[in-house]
Amino acid sequence: MPYSHHSHSGQFCGHAKNTLEEVVQDAIAKGFHTFALTEHIPRPIEDFYPEEADSHTAESLAKLFDDFLVEAARLREAYAPRIKLLIGFESEWIRPSTHQIIQGIMERYTFDFFMGSIHHCHTIPIDFDRATYEKARDAAGGTDERLFEDYFDEQYGMLQALTPPVVGHFDLIRLLSDHRDADFKGMDGVWKRMQRNLEYIASYDGVLELNSAGLRKGLAEPYPCSPVCLAFLRMGGRFVMSDDSHGTDQIATNYPRLLQYIRKVGINDVFFVDKEAAPNDSRIAAGFSSITVDKLIRLPFWTTAQ
Ligand SMILES: [Zn+2]
Ligand SMILES: [Zn+2]
């Protein structure tokens, strides 16, 4: 019975499918032990995605997030005997107002945990489509290397401001670049920044998510790629698993490959957010527990996983 710390539903996310309840039922059917509901935080109108421009105002997008939390709490209670649902959110890091939005929701609600992610650089989306990626790359000076440096600098700002308990898709910037499967070895400025960020995450006991969506999108390795995992392991870093699903057909996809990857990079313990473990962060309601990879491999989940 494995774990996922990152999901979206069509009910509360414009580029996902299915209701939140269908997502939960599918996670139960697939044998998840712990499954986190983590919709995106609201964004101001200047940062709307095209699909939101027709159907939303800034107010309605903010209300959608509030509605998500009400429905997530109902489902967590209703399905408690069958699955441990966690309620969190996935951050953005776009402009100074992003920090205010995050502070606002954290003042109003208590989350089991949250995930620090960035999807923009120079305020431009970097994982939306190739044309938008190229705009961001131009804004950074025209090369992948410059944009990667800026991405990891902006991520460092996010990490310092939020100290997120879990860091989402650490190297998402690879996705639409010409260096999708780069090992970053020729990019000294990029690699230095990545190491700095990893050291910072390790310093406050932050956890990296192993995100199988990278595989779904055709990358050779999940996020983060193996040089990152190896560097973080050497720092004593911890990892959680995620499918980053955007609907039932993506729940647990590529989990067997993710498990192979975990073994290949030499991770011996997989962590998960656990409401029964004491939080070591006063802002959130849950702590972390772990399972050895030897035990994880023997769970019945893997006989039915795709
Ligand atoms: Zn994300
Ligand atoms: Zn996501």
Side-chain angles (χ1 to χ4, degrees):
M1 295 193 290
Y3 319 91
S4 177
H5 293 78
H6 188 159
S7 70
H8 304 279
S9 73
Q11 193 173 351
F12 299 109
C13 171
H15 56 276
K17 287 187 207 157
N18 300 109
T19 65
L20 196 60
E21 186 153 14
E22 287 166 348
V23 165
V24 168
Q25 288 171 343
D26 193 79
I28 293 169
K30 286 176 180 160
F32 276 87
H33 169 280
T34 292
F35 193 85
L37 311 175
T38 56
E39 295 295 0
H40 293 285
I41 62 163
R43 277 165 283 100
I45 206 150
E46 58 267 37
D47 299 317
F48 274 22
Y49 289 101
E51 79 263 7
E52 291 163 339
D54 299 334
S55 51
H56 277 292
T57 62
E59 292 72 31
S60 71
L61 202 64
K63 184 177 181 303
L64 191 67
F65 185 78
D66 293 335
D67 292 347
F68 154 62
L69 294 174
V70 172
E71 177 65 352
R74 181 185 78 80
L75 295 169
R76 185 171 59 184
E77 179 78 22
Y79 290 96
R82 300 168 69 191
I83 191 167
K84 291 180 193 298
L85 294 177
L86 300 168
I87 302 177
F89 63 84
E90 181 177 17
S91 83
E92 302 283 356
W93 199 250
I94 311 173
R95 56 184 83 242
S97 64
T98 314
H99 197 186
Q100 290 154 21
I101 291 168
I102 294 167
Q103 285 173 319
I105 60 177
M106 288 185 70
E107 275 162 25
R108 279 184 288 136
Y109 301 104
T110 303
F111 295 91
D112 294 323
F113 79 108
F114 64 93
M115 191 161 29
S117 296
I118 94 168
H119 307 94
H120 296 71
C121 198
H122 299 280
T123 75
I124 303 165
I126 49 90
D127 67 333
F128 181 71
D129 60 20
R130 173 71 185 192
T132 317
Y133 175 84
E134 286 175 3
K135 270 190 212 161
R137 189 165 68 179
D138 288 345
T143 66
D144 281 346
E145 194 166 352
R146 288 286 92 75
L147 180 62
F148 287 13
E149 289 177 359
D150 291 352
Y151 168 87
F152 287 109
D153 281 343
E154 292 195 29
Q155 184 184 62
Y156 190 49
M158 180 277 289
L159 294 169
Q160 289 180 302
L162 304 181
T163 56
V166 177
V167 178
H169 42 58
F170 178 83
D171 53 355
L172 179 69
I173 192 68
R174 296 191 279 134
L175 177 64
L176 296 170
S177 75
D178 295 322
H179 295 82
R180 289 163 64 87
D181 298 315
D183 63 6
F184 305 102
K185 284 289 154 56
M187 298 183 173
D188 289 348
V190 178
W191 184 244
K192 258 187 222 152
R193 286 167 170 83
M194 294 169 85
Q195 277 200 294
R196 173 200 61 197
N197 293 10
L198 293 172
E199 275 163 16
Y200 186 74
I201 295 164
S203 77
Y204 72 81
D205 270 341
V207 180
L208 281 190
E209 74 158 0
L210 297 161
N211 181 319
S212 70
L215 299 171
R216 189 171 77 235
K217 293 180 180 176
L219 300 181
E221 295 184 332
Y223 311 112
C225 62
S226 45
V228 171
C229 291
L230 292 170
F232 197 55
L233 272 178
R234 284 194 293 271
M235 298 171 195
R238 302 180 295 170
F239 298 87
V240 297
M241 299 171 74
S242 290
D243 60 22
D244 198 353
S245 53
H246 286 65
T248 55
D249 60 353
Q250 297 178 354
I251 292 175
T253 50
N254 289 308
Y255 257 39
R257 285 178 69 195
L258 187 65
L259 180 64
Q260 270 174 21
Y261 180 72
I262 287 169
R263 299 173 73 182
K264 186 189 92 177
V265 298
I267 293 168
N268 295 323
D269 298 284
V270 165
F271 286 77
F272 55 95
V273 174
D274 183 358
K275 284 177 80 71
E276 278 145 47
N280 62 355
D281 180 333
S282 61
R283 301 170 302 170
I284 53 175
F288 286 91
S289 294
S290 68
I291 181 171
T292 65
V293 172
D294 287 344
K295 271 193 191 155
L296 178 67
I297 290 167
R298 290 200 294 271
L299 297 175
F301 171 87
W302 302 104
T303 56
T304 52
Q306 311 142 14

